[in-house]
């Protein structure tokens, strides 16, 4: 086996560094076609990294055609040069395509073990078994009675924009009208459009650290310089935002992933900064729909008197991420520009899911769905908090966040380097669980992240038993 | 009224120039709040431009808040500075948002007259009344029986990728497998992903001239320098493609909008160029599904032995553009990269329409639909060709293309400057018809474009009567 070097590489860069070293070894012929890569557990031990890091790197090597998995046998180097592996056989003589800008794979996708996960504690996934199948199908079949129209409005179906305007006004006090709402492909689609409309390459965009990686990657893809700003108990540390910043992206209702709710003082500080420095605030009102404690704080959009706040919402966490529906509320002139961007990206949102969601909201089905699922998620959350409190008191864990909102919380272990190893052991026991590793820009101690969107109360108990045994 | 200057501005630049001059007049106070803009017909006569040009400019002024339309009364300047117009009232004190890169509006959207169009001859729109409502609803309701899954594959639903791979192999001889197919939001979504993966700002991308404007705009948005290459009777003039070109985008089956089918010799010449210069060919196999004459030529993808061709298909022209479903067939390493790009743009395609389309194709419904609609479109096309031939013989028009494929054809009038005026007059008579103006990069004589996707045989006859009277 060849030598691999990770000394001095920060945790976040390790997967990329390993990938580059293995790929170089294959391309340069130091690893030869048919050579077996070491089992991921062995290599993880040897290099002192999490086993999931190795699995991610191997998956990427397979994905790009440098290696192939043989079932029950391991991972082997392919004959990359002559194209004799399965991936390139389909096109004899294929040259590798020159790629302009390589994008690192998003490592939130754990490799599912054969037979699937026993318990799934991943975040950002509502329970599919709670999906309102009957109500939704009624709204969908009504829409399917007619042929879909030809081209629709790039900003989205007018009925849906009206329904969302009424809904955010009722539920969040966000003042919106038909022409200040744009339908997007979830929050990620919103970020991509906003980056294209607001960012000139070289502009600085401030993000929360830790924070959701695909958001900052979307802005970086359009040439933004990313300024990672630490999050404390009040939310993003506003005074660290660099002077030249063009836009700030925040999740004030439930910071992703720490769970912090941005304090009222911090909100006012951020709005004052936006006013004096002419920067835009992108308020991703993540996880606002499920709230378990205290009266919610007003969204930044509602407090804003200078049109500096763009409000982003999504139906991914309440209905299903596979709907790909979310929205932007912004001043009408920005909405007009985003509409032209949307036309270039993919012309318009798809008609059928828009028509279905519009009818679902207008009929009151969405609010009924939130009440029903909110009760279920609250019982899981309360149970989890009580169980974690026992683990904290008996010294198994250091602390945890109280989950004021949303479908996940973070757990701090007793030793700062413990989370990755605990996650590995729990994964080996069939439990899908992540750490905050993928969220961090700066190198720092990792937390465990426990999502309860997909897990029953019994499964949460089993998972915490496994956690206690994995320390 | 202020002075407006269009002398020496090429046809394509006139709308932008007019917009800039009017906006400047408003911002600088030469046109004041409440001032009425001249009726579009008067201004068109005064400036010697098409009335649709003025309508486009006024629509954009309204869209960006500089003007407002009052029903039955005309277009008036708003109080843009103090935000007293309707658009900005919703957010008191709103500043205008600084936009990074303004995108010109896509002028394919004629302003629909009150009461709607009498006859619609626009292109790129299949007949909604031919949509297979019953078959489609059966496939959709089967998919709706289960809750949608959580996140799916960013490259698209495996069943749909398999169904498309089998379909393009059967119908077009395009060799594809599950891992060389990526689902996109139509052909436009495909172009956006390809631009992001293949283009470094400053790279040259060659496009057909005339050609579909949103395609070249999508590449330009990602920093590509656009080289507009003339189309002759054999297709794109390959020898004009600049040496440094990184990618060429072509519509060989039915050039959009001229209707030319790329000759076999030109296909081989383009492939040889791609091989020697290491450039990528993006083959948008536009309008291949409806063919009326001769045996089709093999797609570039099938002739390619060096993995230089990316094949793009869409269901917009056969089922409905509002589905937003299309696909890319490309070497697996490029598909892997495009998959990562897609994850950043909007995570994945929506589940429900994918599941419905997969079942629709797999059940044979799609091929049945193409046979049924193909017969109907063929009868419209044959009728139109015969009627145009009469107009040509009696000297009303100069010539027209024989429409070997697709849902539109182009008509050359006797005088090179006649098309815009004829289109204006036909529009005034309630007929939605466009010229090739929006497709041209270089300044040149315009053709009329007649789409028959939405028009019955009777409507086509009426439209040609109106054409004969509008010369």
């Amino acid at each position: 086996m060849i030598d691999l070097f990770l000394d001095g590489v920060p945790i976040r860069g390790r997967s990329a560094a390993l990938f580059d070293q293995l790929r170089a070894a294959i391309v340069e012929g130091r690893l030869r076609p048919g050579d077996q890569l070491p089992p991921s557990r062995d290599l993880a031990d040897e290099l002192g990294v999490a086993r999931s890091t190795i699995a991610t790197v191997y998956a990427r090597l397979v994905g790009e055609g440098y290696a192939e998995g043989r079932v029950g046998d391991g991972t082997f180097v392919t004959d990359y040069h002559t194209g004799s592996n399965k991936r390139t056989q389909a096109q004899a003589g294929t040259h590798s395509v020159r790629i302009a800008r390589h994008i690192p794979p998003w490592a939130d996708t754990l490799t599912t073990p054969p037979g699937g996960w026993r318990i799934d504690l991943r975040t950002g996934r509502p329970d599919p078994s709670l999906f309102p199948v009957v109500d939704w199908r009624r709204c969908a079949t009504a829409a399917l009675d007619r042929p879909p129209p030809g081209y629709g409005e790039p900003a989205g179906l007018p009925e849906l924009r009206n329904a969302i305007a009424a809904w955010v006004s009722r539920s969040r006090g966000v003042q919106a009208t038909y022409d200040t709402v744009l339908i997007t492909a979830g929050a990620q689609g919103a970020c991509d459009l906003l980056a294209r409309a607001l960012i000139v390459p070289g502009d600085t965009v401030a993000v929360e650290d830790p924070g959701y990686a695909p958001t900052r990657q979307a802005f970086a893809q359009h040439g933004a310089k990313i300024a990672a700003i630490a999050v404390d108990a009040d939310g993003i540390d506003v005074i660290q935002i660099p002077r030249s910043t063009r836009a700030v992206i925040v999740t004030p209702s439930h910071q992703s992933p720490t769970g912090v709710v941005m304090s009222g003082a911090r909100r006012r500080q951020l709005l004052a900064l936006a006013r004096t420095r002419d920067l835009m605030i992108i308020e991703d009102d993540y996880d606002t729909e499920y709230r378990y404690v205290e009266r919610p704080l007003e969204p930044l959009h509602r407090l804003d008197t200078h049109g500096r706040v763009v409000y982003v919402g999504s139906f991914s966490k309440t209905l299903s991420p596979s709907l790909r529906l979310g929205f932007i509320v912004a001043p009408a002139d920005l909405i007009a520009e985003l509409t032209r961007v949307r036309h270039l990206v993919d012309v318009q949102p798809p008609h059928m899911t828009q028509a279905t969601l519009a009818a679902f909201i207008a009929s009151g089905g969405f609010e009924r769905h939130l009440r029903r699922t909110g009760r279920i998620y609250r019982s899981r959350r309360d149970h989890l908090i009580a169980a974690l409190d026992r683990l904290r008191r008996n010294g198994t864990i250091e602390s945890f966040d109280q989950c004021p909102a949303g479908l996940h919380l973070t757990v701090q272990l007793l030793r700062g380097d413990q989370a990755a190893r605990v996650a590995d052991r729990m994964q080996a026991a069939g439990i899908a669980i992540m750490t905050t590793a993928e969220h961090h820009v700066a190198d720092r101690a990792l937390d465990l992240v426990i999502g309860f969107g997909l897990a029953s109360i019994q499964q949460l108990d089993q998972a915490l038993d496994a956690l206690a045994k994995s320390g």
Side-chain angles (χ1 to χ4, degrees), chain A residues 382-401:
Chain A
D382 290 349
H383 187 87
L384 187 59
I385 295 274
L388 284 169
D389 202 47
R390 285 191 293 276
L391 290 186
R392 185 183 55 75
R393 277 186 280 112
N394 75 21
T396 306
I397 62 172
E398 171 74 31
S399 59
F400 58 96
D401 94 82

PDB file of all heavy atoms in Angstrom, chain A residues 382-401:
ATOM      1  N   ASP A 382     -39.890  15.785  23.753  1.00  0.00           N
ATOM      2  CA  ASP A 382     -39.947  15.791  25.218  1.00  0.00           C
ATOM      3  C   ASP A 382     -39.309  14.530  25.779  1.00  0.00           C
ATOM      4  O   ASP A 382     -38.560  14.575  26.762  1.00  0.00           O
ATOM      5  CB  ASP A 382     -41.406  15.889  25.697  1.00  0.00           C
ATOM      6  CG  ASP A 382     -42.010  17.265  25.410  1.00  0.00           C
ATOM      7  OD1 ASP A 382     -41.241  18.183  25.035  1.00  0.00           O
ATOM      8  OD2 ASP A 382     -43.239  17.411  25.546  1.00  0.00           O
ATOM      9  N   HIS A 383     -39.590  13.396  25.139  1.00  0.00           N
ATOM     10  CA  HIS A 383     -39.035  12.134  25.586  1.00  0.00           C
ATOM     11  C   HIS A 383     -37.503  12.145  25.476  1.00  0.00           C
ATOM     12  O   HIS A 383     -36.789  11.721  26.391  1.00  0.00           O
ATOM     13  CB  HIS A 383     -39.618  10.997  24.746  1.00  0.00           C
ATOM     14  CG  HIS A 383     -39.236   9.637  25.239  1.00  0.00           C
ATOM     15  ND1 HIS A 383     -39.956   8.970  26.211  1.00  0.00           N
ATOM     16  CD2 HIS A 383     -38.202   8.827  24.914  1.00  0.00           C
ATOM     17  CE1 HIS A 383     -39.381   7.816  26.465  1.00  0.00           C
ATOM     18  NE2 HIS A 383     -38.314   7.698  25.687  1.00  0.00           N
ATOM     19  N   LEU A 384     -37.017  12.654  24.363  1.00  0.00           N
ATOM     20  CA  LEU A 384     -35.584  12.700  24.121  1.00  0.00           C
ATOM     21  C   LEU A 384     -34.877  13.602  25.135  1.00  0.00           C
ATOM     22  O   LEU A 384     -33.824  13.255  25.688  1.00  0.00           O
ATOM     23  CB  LEU A 384     -35.350  13.203  22.684  1.00  0.00           C
ATOM     24  CG  LEU A 384     -33.941  13.195  22.115  1.00  0.00           C
ATOM     25  CD1 LEU A 384     -33.345  11.797  22.120  1.00  0.00           C
ATOM     26  CD2 LEU A 384     -33.959  13.750  20.682  1.00  0.00           C
ATOM     27  N   ILE A 385     -35.476  14.759  25.401  1.00  0.00           N
ATOM     28  CA  ILE A 385     -34.895  15.702  26.356  1.00  0.00           C
ATOM     29  C   ILE A 385     -34.793  15.047  27.741  1.00  0.00           C
ATOM     30  O   ILE A 385     -33.760  15.126  28.426  1.00  0.00           O
ATOM     31  CB  ILE A 385     -35.773  16.979  26.450  1.00  0.00           C
ATOM     32  CG1 ILE A 385     -35.779  17.731  25.112  1.00  0.00           C
ATOM     33  CG2 ILE A 385     -35.343  17.858  27.608  1.00  0.00           C
ATOM     34  CD1 ILE A 385     -34.669  18.688  24.906  1.00  0.00           C
ATOM     35  N   ALA A 386     -35.854  14.364  28.157  1.00  0.00           N
ATOM     36  CA  ALA A 386     -35.854  13.723  29.475  1.00  0.00           C
ATOM     37  C   ALA A 386     -34.779  12.642  29.548  1.00  0.00           C
ATOM     38  O   ALA A 386     -34.043  12.536  30.537  1.00  0.00           O
ATOM     39  CB  ALA A 386     -37.239  13.127  29.757  1.00  0.00           C
ATOM     40  N   ALA A 387     -34.663  11.852  28.474  1.00  0.00           N
ATOM     41  CA  ALA A 387     -33.676  10.772  28.467  1.00  0.00           C
ATOM     42  C   ALA A 387     -32.252  11.338  28.458  1.00  0.00           C
ATOM     43  O   ALA A 387     -31.357  10.824  29.145  1.00  0.00           O
ATOM     44  CB  ALA A 387     -33.902   9.873  27.256  1.00  0.00           C
ATOM     45  N   LEU A 388     -32.026  12.391  27.672  1.00  0.00           N
ATOM     46  CA  LEU A 388     -30.694  12.997  27.631  1.00  0.00           C
ATOM     47  C   LEU A 388     -30.337  13.617  28.974  1.00  0.00           C
ATOM     48  O   LEU A 388     -29.173  13.624  29.389  1.00  0.00           O
ATOM     49  CB  LEU A 388     -30.628  14.052  26.515  1.00  0.00           C
ATOM     50  CG  LEU A 388     -30.521  13.482  25.097  1.00  0.00           C
ATOM     51  CD1 LEU A 388     -30.740  14.580  24.060  1.00  0.00           C
ATOM     52  CD2 LEU A 388     -29.163  12.811  24.865  1.00  0.00           C
ATOM     53  N   ASP A 389     -31.350  14.132  29.669  1.00  0.00           N
ATOM     54  CA  ASP A 389     -31.099  14.728  30.978  1.00  0.00           C
ATOM     55  C   ASP A 389     -30.586  13.664  31.951  1.00  0.00           C
ATOM     56  O   ASP A 389     -29.682  13.926  32.751  1.00  0.00           O
ATOM     57  CB  ASP A 389     -32.390  15.384  31.487  1.00  0.00           C
ATOM     58  CG  ASP A 389     -32.078  16.438  32.534  1.00  0.00           C
ATOM     59  OD1 ASP A 389     -31.165  17.252  32.293  1.00  0.00           O
ATOM     60  OD2 ASP A 389     -32.726  16.411  33.602  1.00  0.00           O
ATOM     61  N   ARG A 390     -31.149  12.458  31.848  1.00  0.00           N
ATOM     62  CA  ARG A 390     -30.640  11.361  32.683  1.00  0.00           C
ATOM     63  C   ARG A 390     -29.185  11.042  32.337  1.00  0.00           C
ATOM     64  O   ARG A 390     -28.346  10.858  33.204  1.00  0.00           O
ATOM     65  CB  ARG A 390     -31.522  10.117  32.516  1.00  0.00           C
ATOM     66  CG  ARG A 390     -32.876  10.223  33.242  1.00  0.00           C
ATOM     67  CD  ARG A 390     -33.617   8.884  33.282  1.00  0.00           C
ATOM     68  NE  ARG A 390     -34.046   8.435  31.964  1.00  0.00           N
ATOM     69  CZ  ARG A 390     -35.189   8.824  31.358  1.00  0.00           C
ATOM     70  NH1 ARG A 390     -36.004   9.678  31.965  1.00  0.00           N
ATOM     71  NH2 ARG A 390     -35.498   8.373  30.169  1.00  0.00           N
ATOM     72  N   LEU A 391     -28.876  10.994  31.029  1.00  0.00           N
ATOM     73  CA  LEU A 391     -27.495  10.697  30.612  1.00  0.00           C
ATOM     74  C   LEU A 391     -26.531  11.788  31.077  1.00  0.00           C
ATOM     75  O   LEU A 391     -25.372  11.518  31.386  1.00  0.00           O
ATOM     76  CB  LEU A 391     -27.410  10.565  29.081  1.00  0.00           C
ATOM     77  CG  LEU A 391     -28.070   9.344  28.440  1.00  0.00           C
ATOM     78  CD1 LEU A 391     -27.763   9.299  26.944  1.00  0.00           C
ATOM     79  CD2 LEU A 391     -27.587   8.051  29.100  1.00  0.00           C
ATOM     80  N   ARG A 392     -27.002  13.016  31.097  1.00  0.00           N
ATOM     81  CA  ARG A 392     -26.144  14.112  31.546  1.00  0.00           C
ATOM     82  C   ARG A 392     -25.886  13.979  33.047  1.00  0.00           C
ATOM     83  O   ARG A 392     -24.755  14.092  33.505  1.00  0.00           O
ATOM     84  CB  ARG A 392     -26.803  15.461  31.240  1.00  0.00           C
ATOM     85  CG  ARG A 392     -25.929  16.674  31.552  1.00  0.00           C
ATOM     86  CD  ARG A 392     -26.661  17.979  31.306  1.00  0.00           C
ATOM     87  NE  ARG A 392     -27.930  18.068  32.035  1.00  0.00           N
ATOM     88  CZ  ARG A 392     -28.037  18.305  33.349  1.00  0.00           C
ATOM     89  NH1 ARG A 392     -26.952  18.508  34.087  1.00  0.00           N
ATOM     90  NH2 ARG A 392     -29.226  18.332  33.929  1.00  0.00           N
ATOM     91  N   ARG A 393     -26.965  13.637  33.798  1.00  0.00           N
ATOM     92  CA  ARG A 393     -26.802  13.559  35.249  1.00  0.00           C
ATOM     93  C   ARG A 393     -25.938  12.384  35.662  1.00  0.00           C
ATOM     94  O   ARG A 393     -25.192  12.463  36.613  1.00  0.00           O
ATOM     95  CB  ARG A 393     -28.176  13.531  35.933  1.00  0.00           C
ATOM     96  CG  ARG A 393     -28.735  14.976  36.082  1.00  0.00           C
ATOM     97  CD  ARG A 393     -30.018  15.069  36.858  1.00  0.00           C
ATOM     98  NE  ARG A 393     -31.175  14.723  36.023  1.00  0.00           N
ATOM     99  CZ  ARG A 393     -31.914  13.645  36.186  1.00  0.00           C
ATOM    100  NH1 ARG A 393     -31.678  12.807  37.192  1.00  0.00           N
ATOM    101  NH2 ARG A 393     -32.927  13.400  35.367  1.00  0.00           N
ATOM    102  N   ASN A 394     -25.994  11.291  34.869  1.00  0.00           N
ATOM    103  CA  ASN A 394     -25.134  10.155  35.238  1.00  0.00           C
ATOM    104  C   ASN A 394     -23.745  10.239  34.588  1.00  0.00           C
ATOM    105  O   ASN A 394     -22.971   9.284  34.628  1.00  0.00           O
ATOM    106  CB  ASN A 394     -25.825   8.806  34.980  1.00  0.00           C
ATOM    107  CG  ASN A 394     -25.877   8.452  33.493  1.00  0.00           C
ATOM    108  OD1 ASN A 394     -25.106   8.975  32.694  1.00  0.00           O
ATOM    109  ND2 ASN A 394     -26.753   7.545  33.135  1.00  0.00           N
ATOM    110  N   GLY A 395     -23.452  11.389  33.936  1.00  0.00           N
ATOM    111  CA  GLY A 395     -22.081  11.615  33.450  1.00  0.00           C
ATOM    112  C   GLY A 395     -21.749  10.962  32.126  1.00  0.00           C
ATOM    113  O   GLY A 395     -20.580  10.883  31.743  1.00  0.00           O
ATOM    114  N   THR A 396     -22.748  10.502  31.379  1.00  0.00           N
ATOM    115  CA  THR A 396     -22.464   9.909  30.076  1.00  0.00           C
ATOM    116  C   THR A 396     -22.175  10.979  29.034  1.00  0.00           C
ATOM    117  O   THR A 396     -21.339  10.798  28.152  1.00  0.00           O
ATOM    118  CB  THR A 396     -23.654   9.047  29.615  1.00  0.00           C
ATOM    119  OG1 THR A 396     -23.944   8.104  30.644  1.00  0.00           O
ATOM    120  CG2 THR A 396     -23.342   8.316  28.307  1.00  0.00           C
ATOM    121  N   ILE A 397     -22.901  12.081  29.121  1.00  0.00           N
ATOM    122  CA  ILE A 397     -22.687  13.186  28.187  1.00  0.00           C
ATOM    123  C   ILE A 397     -22.448  14.457  28.974  1.00  0.00           C
ATOM    124  O   ILE A 397     -22.737  14.523  30.180  1.00  0.00           O
ATOM    125  CB  ILE A 397     -23.900  13.396  27.235  1.00  0.00           C
ATOM    126  CG1 ILE A 397     -25.157  13.767  28.047  1.00  0.00           C
ATOM    127  CG2 ILE A 397     -24.141  12.141  26.384  1.00  0.00           C
ATOM    128  CD1 ILE A 397     -26.343  14.170  27.196  1.00  0.00           C
ATOM    129  N   GLU A 398     -21.894  15.461  28.261  1.00  0.00           N
ATOM    130  CA  GLU A 398     -21.584  16.727  28.919  1.00  0.00           C
ATOM    131  C   GLU A 398     -22.831  17.612  28.978  1.00  0.00           C
ATOM    132  O   GLU A 398     -23.185  18.124  30.038  1.00  0.00           O
ATOM    133  CB  GLU A 398     -20.479  17.433  28.103  1.00  0.00           C
ATOM    134  CG  GLU A 398     -20.165  18.854  28.506  1.00  0.00           C
ATOM    135  CD  GLU A 398     -19.373  18.926  29.804  1.00  0.00           C
ATOM    136  OE1 GLU A 398     -18.599  17.983  30.052  1.00  0.00           O
ATOM    137  OE2 GLU A 398     -19.549  19.900  30.557  1.00  0.00           O
ATOM    138  N   SER A 399     -23.478  17.783  27.858  1.00  0.00           N
ATOM    139  CA  SER A 399     -24.647  18.675  27.793  1.00  0.00           C
ATOM    140  C   SER A 399     -25.385  18.440  26.484  1.00  0.00           C
ATOM    141  O   SER A 399     -24.950  17.646  25.652  1.00  0.00           O
ATOM    142  CB  SER A 399     -24.210  20.143  27.899  1.00  0.00           C
ATOM    143  OG  SER A 399     -23.321  20.444  26.833  1.00  0.00           O
ATOM    144  N   PHE A 400     -26.501  19.140  26.301  1.00  0.00           N
ATOM    145  CA  PHE A 400     -27.258  19.038  25.042  1.00  0.00           C
ATOM    146  C   PHE A 400     -28.109  20.287  24.904  1.00  0.00           C
ATOM    147  O   PHE A 400     -28.384  20.968  25.887  1.00  0.00           O
ATOM    148  CB  PHE A 400     -28.129  17.780  25.019  1.00  0.00           C
ATOM    149  CG  PHE A 400     -29.111  17.701  26.154  1.00  0.00           C
ATOM    150  CD1 PHE A 400     -30.427  18.120  25.990  1.00  0.00           C
ATOM    151  CD2 PHE A 400     -28.713  17.208  27.393  1.00  0.00           C
ATOM    152  CE1 PHE A 400     -31.326  18.057  27.040  1.00  0.00           C
ATOM    153  CE2 PHE A 400     -29.613  17.153  28.448  1.00  0.00           C
ATOM    154  CZ  PHE A 400     -30.923  17.571  28.284  1.00  0.00           C
ATOM    155  N   ASP A 401     -28.529  20.583  23.680  1.00  0.00           N
ATOM    156  CA  ASP A 401     -29.367  21.778  23.549  1.00  0.00           C
ATOM    157  C   ASP A 401     -30.824  21.388  23.761  1.00  0.00           C
ATOM    158  O   ASP A 401     -31.229  20.256  23.503  1.00  0.00           O
ATOM    159  CB  ASP A 401     -29.081  22.502  22.220  1.00  0.00           C
ATOM    160  CG  ASP A 401     -30.000  22.111  21.086  1.00  0.00           C
ATOM    161  OD1 ASP A 401     -31.119  22.656  21.017  1.00  0.00           O
ATOM    162  OD2 ASP A 401     -29.599  21.278  20.262  1.00  0.00           O
TER     163      ASP A 401
END
